[in-house]
Amino acid sequence: AQSVTQLDSHVSVSEGTPVLLRCNYSSSYSPSLFWYVQHPNKGLQLLLKYTSAATLVKGINGFEAEFKKSETSFHLTKPSAHMSDAAEYFCVVRGPGGFKTIFGAGTRLFVKA
Amino acid sequence: DSGVTQTPKHLITATGQRVTLRCSPRSGDLSVYWYQQSLDQGLQFLIQYYNGEERAKGNILERFSAQQFPDLHSELNLSSLELGDSALYFCASSVVGSSDEQYFGPGTRLTVT
Protein backbone atom coordinates (compact mmCIF):
# COMPACT_ATOMS: atom_id res chain seq x y z
CA ALA A 1 0.00 0.00 0.00
CA GLN A 2 1.12 3.52 -0.67
CA SER A 3 0.41 6.78 1.08
CA VAL A 4 1.80 10.28 1.25
CA THR A 5 1.50 12.83 4.03
CA GLN A 6 2.28 16.49 3.70
CA LEU A 7 2.91 17.57 7.22
CA ASP A 8 1.85 21.20 6.89
CA SER A 9 -1.31 22.47 5.23
CA HIS A 10 0.04 26.06 5.24
CA VAL A 11 3.55 27.48 5.39
CA SER A 12 4.30 31.18 5.59
CA VAL A 13 7.76 32.64 4.97
CA SER A 14 9.22 36.05 4.30
CA GLU A 15 10.72 36.84 0.93
CA GLY A 16 14.41 35.93 0.87
CA THR A 17 14.18 33.34 3.66
CA PRO A 18 14.44 29.55 3.22
CA VAL A 19 11.47 27.36 2.34
CA LEU A 20 10.87 23.89 3.75
CA LEU A 21 7.82 21.88 2.71
CA ARG A 22 7.63 18.48 4.37
CA CYS A 23 6.51 15.21 2.84
CA ASN A 24 6.54 11.69 4.28
CA TYR A 25 5.63 8.68 2.21
CA SER A 26 4.86 5.02 2.64
CA SER A 27 5.30 2.49 -0.12
CA SER A 28 5.58 -1.28 -0.45
CA TYR A 29 7.64 -0.81 -3.58
CA SER A 30 10.51 1.44 -4.56
CA PRO A 31 8.44 4.47 -5.35
CA SER A 32 8.83 7.30 -7.77
CA LEU A 33 8.38 10.59 -5.93
CA PHE A 34 7.47 13.94 -7.38
CA TRP A 35 6.80 17.50 -6.32
CA TYR A 36 4.33 19.58 -8.31
CA VAL A 37 3.33 23.22 -7.97
CA GLN A 38 -0.09 24.68 -8.74
CA HIS A 39 -0.54 28.41 -9.09
CA PRO A 40 -4.07 29.80 -8.69
CA ASN A 41 -6.40 28.79 -11.52
CA LYS A 42 -3.59 26.95 -13.29
CA GLY A 43 -2.70 23.34 -13.96
CA LEU A 44 0.06 21.50 -12.17
CA GLN A 45 3.70 21.94 -13.08
CA LEU A 46 6.42 19.43 -12.28
CA LEU A 47 9.13 20.82 -10.00
CA LEU A 48 11.27 17.71 -9.65
CA LYS A 49 11.23 13.92 -9.46
CA TYR A 50 13.08 11.13 -7.71
CA THR A 51 13.35 7.75 -9.44
CA SER A 52 16.04 5.85 -7.47
CA ALA A 53 19.02 7.71 -8.86
CA ALA A 54 20.72 10.48 -6.86
CA THR A 55 19.05 11.08 -3.51
CA LEU A 56 19.40 14.86 -3.79
CA VAL A 57 17.24 16.02 -6.64
CA LYS A 58 17.44 19.47 -8.16
CA GLY A 59 14.42 20.95 -9.81
CA ILE A 60 13.28 24.09 -11.50
CA ASN A 61 13.19 27.58 -9.99
CA GLY A 62 15.87 26.78 -7.39
CA PHE A 63 13.93 24.03 -5.63
CA GLU A 64 15.48 20.78 -4.52
CA ALA A 65 14.42 17.74 -2.52
CA GLU A 66 16.26 15.01 -0.67
CA PHE A 67 15.09 11.41 -0.63
CA LYS A 68 15.76 9.88 2.79
CA LYS A 69 14.80 6.23 2.82
CA SER A 70 15.51 5.77 6.54
CA GLU A 71 13.10 8.58 7.38
CA THR A 72 10.69 7.87 4.48
CA SER A 73 10.81 11.56 3.69
CA PHE A 74 11.08 13.68 0.57
CA HIS A 75 11.11 17.27 1.80
CA LEU A 76 11.19 20.19 -0.64
CA THR A 77 13.51 23.10 0.01
CA LYS A 78 14.56 26.38 -1.51
CA PRO A 79 17.29 28.62 -0.06
CA SER A 80 15.53 31.92 -0.70
CA ALA A 81 11.80 32.41 -1.26
CA HIS A 82 10.48 34.70 -3.97
CA MET A 83 7.05 36.25 -4.13
CA SER A 84 6.32 34.23 -7.26
CA ASP A 85 6.76 31.00 -5.24
CA ALA A 86 3.42 31.59 -3.52
CA ALA A 87 1.31 28.64 -4.66
CA GLU A 88 0.11 25.20 -3.62
CA TYR A 89 2.63 22.38 -3.62
CA PHE A 90 1.84 18.69 -3.95
CA CYS A 91 4.00 15.72 -3.06
CA VAL A 92 3.18 12.66 -5.17
CA VAL A 93 4.06 8.99 -4.82
CA ARG A 94 3.67 6.58 -7.67
CA GLY A 95 4.30 2.87 -7.76
CA PRO A 96 5.51 0.70 -10.64
CA GLY A 97 3.35 0.86 -13.74
CA GLY A 98 1.62 4.02 -12.59
CA PHE A 99 -0.64 2.15 -10.24
CA LYS A 100 -2.10 4.08 -7.36
CA THR A 101 -0.72 7.50 -8.11
CA ILE A 102 -1.32 9.27 -4.83
CA PHE A 103 -1.23 13.01 -4.22
CA GLY A 104 -0.63 14.56 -0.84
CA ALA A 105 -3.23 16.96 0.48
CA GLY A 106 -1.11 19.92 -0.58
CA THR A 107 0.78 22.66 1.23
CA ARG A 108 -0.11 26.24 0.52
CA LEU A 109 2.95 28.45 0.60
CA PHE A 110 2.52 32.12 1.48
CA VAL A 111 5.40 34.53 0.86
CA LYS A 112 5.39 37.83 2.72
CA ALA A 113 7.15 40.92 1.40
CA ASP B 1 2.12 25.96 -21.71
CA SER B 2 2.44 22.21 -21.11
CA GLY B 3 1.29 21.15 -24.57
CA VAL B 4 -1.70 19.29 -23.13
CA THR B 5 -5.05 20.73 -24.15
CA GLN B 6 -8.40 20.21 -22.50
CA THR B 7 -11.86 21.23 -23.62
CA PRO B 8 -14.11 22.71 -22.53
CA LYS B 9 -12.57 25.03 -19.96
CA HIS B 10 -15.81 25.37 -18.01
CA LEU B 11 -18.94 23.27 -17.98
CA ILE B 12 -22.16 23.91 -16.09
CA THR B 13 -24.82 21.23 -16.12
CA ALA B 14 -27.67 19.85 -14.06
CA THR B 15 -27.88 16.79 -11.84
CA GLY B 16 -28.61 13.58 -13.70
CA GLN B 17 -27.01 14.78 -16.91
CA ARG B 18 -24.05 13.33 -18.81
CA VAL B 19 -20.98 15.22 -20.00
CA THR B 20 -17.83 14.44 -21.95
CA LEU B 21 -14.47 16.03 -21.24
CA ARG B 22 -11.80 15.94 -23.87
CA CYS B 23 -8.02 15.84 -23.63
CA SER B 24 -5.29 16.00 -26.25
CA PRO B 25 -1.90 14.86 -24.98
CA ARG B 26 1.45 16.37 -25.85
CA SER B 27 2.80 15.28 -29.19
CA GLY B 28 4.58 11.95 -28.75
CA ASP B 29 3.10 11.10 -25.37
CA LEU B 30 1.41 7.71 -25.26
CA SER B 31 -0.01 7.78 -21.73
CA VAL B 32 -2.98 9.85 -20.61
CA TYR B 33 -4.07 10.24 -17.01
CA TRP B 34 -7.26 11.72 -15.57
CA TYR B 35 -7.48 13.38 -12.16
CA GLN B 36 -10.25 14.98 -10.14
CA GLN B 37 -9.54 17.90 -7.81
CA SER B 38 -12.19 18.91 -5.30
CA LEU B 39 -12.12 20.85 -2.05
CA ASP B 40 -13.13 17.91 0.11
CA GLN B 41 -11.24 15.10 -1.62
CA GLY B 42 -8.15 16.91 -2.86
CA LEU B 43 -6.43 15.61 -5.98
CA GLN B 44 -7.38 12.06 -6.88
CA PHE B 45 -6.09 9.85 -9.64
CA LEU B 46 -8.96 8.43 -11.69
CA ILE B 47 -7.57 6.38 -14.54
CA GLN B 48 -4.63 5.95 -16.92
CA TYR B 49 -4.56 4.89 -20.54
CA TYR B 50 -1.51 3.84 -22.49
CA ASN B 51 -1.64 3.71 -26.27
CA GLY B 52 -5.37 3.06 -26.29
CA GLU B 53 -5.49 0.51 -23.47
CA GLU B 54 -6.53 1.02 -19.88
CA ARG B 55 -3.38 0.76 -17.76
CA ALA B 56 -4.32 1.66 -14.19
CA LYS B 57 -7.43 2.54 -12.28
CA GLY B 58 -7.72 4.75 -9.25
CA ASN B 59 -10.76 6.09 -7.43
CA ILE B 60 -13.00 6.24 -10.48
CA LEU B 61 -16.73 5.86 -9.91
CA GLU B 62 -18.73 3.37 -11.95
CA ARG B 63 -20.73 6.31 -13.36
CA PHE B 64 -17.50 7.56 -14.94
CA SER B 65 -15.75 6.02 -17.91
CA ALA B 66 -12.90 6.95 -20.18
CA GLN B 67 -11.30 5.91 -23.41
CA GLN B 68 -8.27 6.73 -25.49
CA PHE B 69 -8.66 6.86 -29.25
CA PRO B 70 -6.22 5.79 -31.99
CA ASP B 71 -5.05 9.39 -32.39
CA LEU B 72 -4.26 9.24 -28.62
CA HIS B 73 -6.72 11.87 -27.51
CA SER B 74 -8.85 10.82 -24.58
CA GLU B 75 -12.36 11.46 -23.35
CA LEU B 76 -13.74 11.20 -19.83
CA ASN B 77 -17.46 10.55 -19.69
CA LEU B 78 -19.35 11.44 -16.53
CA SER B 79 -22.96 10.30 -16.26
CA SER B 80 -25.86 10.57 -13.80
CA LEU B 81 -24.12 13.62 -12.44
CA GLU B 82 -24.46 14.52 -8.79
CA LEU B 83 -23.72 17.78 -6.97
CA GLY B 84 -20.63 16.15 -5.48
CA ASP B 85 -19.12 15.65 -8.93
CA SER B 86 -18.48 19.38 -9.16
CA ALA B 87 -14.71 19.64 -9.38
CA LEU B 88 -11.74 20.50 -11.52
CA TYR B 89 -10.84 17.65 -13.84
CA PHE B 90 -7.27 17.48 -15.04
CA CYS B 91 -5.77 15.47 -17.81
CA ALA B 92 -2.04 14.75 -17.90
CA SER B 93 0.17 12.96 -20.36
CA SER B 94 3.56 11.31 -20.28
CA VAL B 95 5.79 9.49 -22.71
CA VAL B 96 5.27 6.04 -21.23
CA GLY B 97 4.78 5.20 -17.60
CA SER B 98 5.05 5.83 -13.94
CA SER B 99 8.54 7.25 -13.66
CA ASP B 100 8.08 9.70 -16.47
CA GLU B 101 7.11 13.26 -15.89
CA GLN B 102 3.43 13.96 -16.32
CA TYR B 103 2.48 17.18 -18.04
CA PHE B 104 -0.84 18.58 -16.92
CA GLY B 105 -3.47 20.38 -18.91
CA PRO B 106 -5.22 23.51 -17.63
CA GLY B 107 -8.23 21.54 -16.44
CA THR B 108 -11.97 21.56 -17.00
CA ARG B 109 -14.05 23.07 -14.24
CA LEU B 110 -17.33 21.17 -13.93
CA THR B 111 -20.19 22.68 -11.98
CA VAL B 112 -23.24 20.53 -11.35
CA THR B 113 -26.33 22.47 -10.26
Side-chain angles (χ1 to χ4, degrees):
Chain A
Q2 296 186 138
S3 66
V4 58
T5 304
Q6 291 184 243
L7 297 167
D8 307 292
S9 59
H10 298 86
V11 169
S12 183
V13 301
S14 297
E15 194 174 21
T17 65
V19 175
L20 169 63
L21 305 183
R22 299 181 295 163
C23 172
N24 285 354
Y25 72 93
S26 169
S27 177
S28 306
Y29 309 96
S30 294
S32 296
L33 296 162
F34 304 78
W35 275 98
Y36 283 85
V37 59
Q38 184 179 29
H39 287 93
N41 300 312
K42 299 277 189 184
L44 285 87
Q45 181 184 20
L46 178 71
L47 282 177
L48 49 82
K49 71 173 183 179
Y50 166 78
T51 55
S52 74
T55 56
L56 183 61
V57 182
K58 294 191 184 298
I60 62 170
N61 300 336
F63 284 96
E64 62 182 41
E66 187 170 7
F67 173 73
K68 290 187 177 179
K69 190 174 180 179
S70 60
E71 298 175 13
T72 60
S73 69
F74 190 57
H75 301 335
L76 182 71
T77 60
K78 182 172 180 176
S80 175
H82 191 273
M83 294 297 288
S84 61
D85 295 328
E88 184 132 28
Y89 292 79
F90 294 93
C91 182
V92 179
V93 61
R94 189 177 304 144
F99 294 118
K100 296 291 186 183
T101 299
I102 298 178
F103 278 74
T107 298
R108 185 162 293 279
L109 176 65
F110 297 93
V111 182
K112 299 174 289 187
Chain B
D1 184 1
S2 68
V4 178
T5 60
Q6 289 187 249
T7 57
K9 196 168 183 178
H10 300 278
L11 199 47
I12 301 174
T13 189
T15 54
Q17 295 297 305
R18 174 190 167 96
V19 296
T20 297
L21 313 183
R22 184 188 167 103
C23 168
S24 292
R26 290 188 324 151
S27 176
D29 284 358
L30 299 178
S31 273
V32 168
Y33 309 75
W34 286 99
Y35 295 88
Q36 179 194 60
Q37 185 177 35
S38 61
L39 282 173
D40 53 343
Q41 304 263 29
L43 253 167
Q44 290 198 94
F45 166 64
L46 296 179
I47 197 163
Q48 177 199 356
Y49 278 82
Y50 170 72
N51 205 19
E53 306 258 335
E54 183 184 303
R55 185 75 172 258
K57 228 171 186 175
N59 299 324
I60 188 165
L61 299 172
E62 284 192 14
R63 299 184 285 109
F64 295 1
S65 65
Q67 53 185 327
Q68 186 180 26
F69 294 86
D71 67 353
L72 300 178
H73 90 271
S74 178
E75 292 180 356
L76 179 68
N77 300 296
L78 316 176
S79 61
S80 303
L81 284 167
E82 302 174 1
L83 295 177
D85 297 327
S86 295
L88 198 49
Y89 291 84
F90 286 108
C91 165
S93 72
S94 71
V95 175
V96 180
S98 64
S99 64
D100 296 310
E101 294 94 305
Q102 291 184 13
Y103 294 87
F104 281 75
T108 293
R109 182 167 294 283
L110 173 66
T111 303
V112 183
T113 61

